[in-house]
Amino acid sequence: MTPIGTELDDFVIRTIQAAYLAGKVRKTKDCMEDMARAGLYEADVENVITHAETIEKAMPATSARASSRSNTHYVIRGTSTKGVEVYCKVCSNYHPQTDEFIEWKLTSFTLK
């Protein structure tokens, strides 16, 4: 995984943080299952996202359920409320026909 790029990193982090604080980051079923398996809670998600200072572009979303080729996974690494290293994958979600941005989705949140 590689950093996005100095100027874009901060913009993407701040955009995800604002969406999260506004309650506009949807968790996928896979993410909720990851969290349950790892014993992680919403407070852990909040801690990692709100304290994020770096972000990495992981890959384009290639899932058969991906609605657009513009969808991209980003990784944010951090620490749980108990001091355990964790990471989350956040995916941008674009409309399949218009390619307009729809939402951010938290697709994974688990132990590092």
Side-chain angles (χ1 to χ4, degrees):
M1 288 179 273
T2 58
I4 300 168
T6 307
E7 293 105 34
L8 193 53
D9 284 1
D10 190 54
F11 173 76
V12 174
I13 289 170
R14 301 297 167 242
T15 302
I16 292 168
Q17 287 171 331
Y20 178 80
L21 292 172
K24 295 182 179 180
V25 175
R26 183 172 59 87
K27 287 184 199 71
T28 64
K29 180 181 175 193
D30 290 342
C31 177
M32 291 186 284
E33 290 171 355
D34 287 348
M35 291 174 66
R37 271 192 303 275
L40 298 168
Y41 301 94
E42 189 62 35
D44 299 310
V45 175
E46 181 177 338
N47 191 55
V48 170
I49 291 178
T50 60
H51 291 98
E53 294 183 9
T54 60
I55 191 166
E56 301 166 20
K57 182 177 179 180
M59 65 191 131
T62 56
S63 163
R65 294 177 287 185
S67 60
S68 170
R69 292 178 188 251
S70 297
N71 294 356
T72 303
H73 285 286
Y74 299 92
V75 172
I76 300 172
R77 300 176 192 279
T79 306
S80 74
T81 56
K82 293 181 181 175
V84 177
E85 290 186 33
V86 296
Y87 75 93
C88 61
K89 256 192 221 175
V90 181
C91 182
S92 58
N93 190 22
Y94 289 84
H95 191 279
Q97 280 82 38
T98 65
D99 219 29
E100 287 184 56
F101 179 79
I102 298 171
E103 66 181 347
W104 290 101
K105 290 191 294 188
L106 190 59
T107 60
S108 182
F109 189 80
T110 193
L111 304 175
K112 184 174 177 187

